[in-house]
Amino acid sequence: MDELSGSESGLLVSVHIHQKIKPFLWFDGQAEEAAAHYVSIFDGSRIVTVQRYGDAGPGAPGSVMTVEFELAGQRFVALNGGPQFTFTEAVSFSIDCVDQEEVDRLWARLGEGGEEGPCGWLKDKFGLSWQVTPRRLIELLVDPDQAAAKRVMQAMMGMHKIDIQGLEDAYRG
């Protein structure tokens, strides 16, 4: 929980920010590195708290247990849980990108040391899956002109990183 304080006319104003549901990400010793990496990519992001293992374990006393971090207003928790579980494409994070510049920047940064996938999907260097999705793609896919929307879908299916101009070209036929 975060607490923001301020003073207006001598009165103390306190606001508690609480997010009911937070994605909880399991890492094998890279929770702090991953959180720092993600925070460096997204504007308006920060590390909120770092919690360390105590004498009760199961991690080494003093080592990082969890890192709570915020990416563009969304809270996440990264756990150093061990090698038992790894990420799969069954869970991914979709990023709403306003333009090609944002798509290009996020694709490059998240893809560093990772693996490109089809249709705007990629795995980062930690194995976490992301969908780098321009808003324009969604607009074109829900267009009432079903033939144009179908051409856009077919064009997207042939892409790795989404190319908005390529989608526009497919839309126009």
Side-chain angles (χ1 to χ4, degrees):
M1 183 180 307
D2 236 7
E3 186 176 300
L4 303 175
S5 301
S7 179
E8 292 180 21
S9 305
L11 297 173
L12 180 63
V13 178
S14 180
V15 177
H16 295 280
I17 299 169
H18 180 78
Q19 182 175 309
K20 193 164 198 71
I21 299 172
K22 294 177 199 161
F24 203 90
L25 307 172
W26 184 293
F27 292 90
D28 182 16
Q30 313 104 334
E32 192 169 31
E33 177 188 352
H37 177 66
Y38 300 141
V39 165
S40 76
I41 293 172
F42 294 94
D43 294 337
S45 300
R46 66 191 177 106
I47 301 291
V48 178
T49 60
V50 177
Q51 188 174 28
R52 299 187 180 278
Y53 284 107
D55 292 335
S63 67
V64 172
M65 180 172 66
T66 62
V67 179
E68 184 170 352
F69 60 103
E70 188 174 281
L71 302 179
Q74 172 70 45
R75 293 275 177 105
F76 295 81
V77 178
L79 167 73
N80 279 328
Q84 298 89 332
F85 302 108
T86 58
F87 298 119
T88 74
E89 292 84 351
V91 174
S92 63
F93 293 108
S94 180
I95 308 166
D96 175 40
C97 298
V98 296
D99 56 24
Q100 190 68 51
E101 181 181 326
E102 186 176 23
V103 168
D104 294 346
R105 181 179 61 79
L106 293 175
W107 186 266
R109 291 292 312 279
L110 287 167
E112 292 170 355
E115 177 184 328
E116 291 186 3
C119 307
W121 288 53
L122 61 79
K123 281 188 194 177
D124 66 26
K125 64 184 176 180
F126 303 103
L128 188 59
S129 292
W130 298 85
Q131 298 176 54
V132 184
T133 310
R135 287 182 191 167
R136 188 65 180 138
L137 169 63
I138 306 306
E139 293 167 358
L140 293 171
L141 288 176
V142 299
D143 192 272
D145 181 342
Q146 289 301 298
K150 181 179 178 181
R151 290 191 304 271
V152 170
M153 176 64 81
Q154 289 170 337
M156 184 214 41
M157 296 295 286
M159 297 177 181
H160 284 268
K161 177 178 72 173
I162 303 298
D163 171 37
I164 297 172
Q165 186 59 55
L167 299 176
E168 296 284 0
D169 293 346
Y171 178 82
R172 286 191 291 278

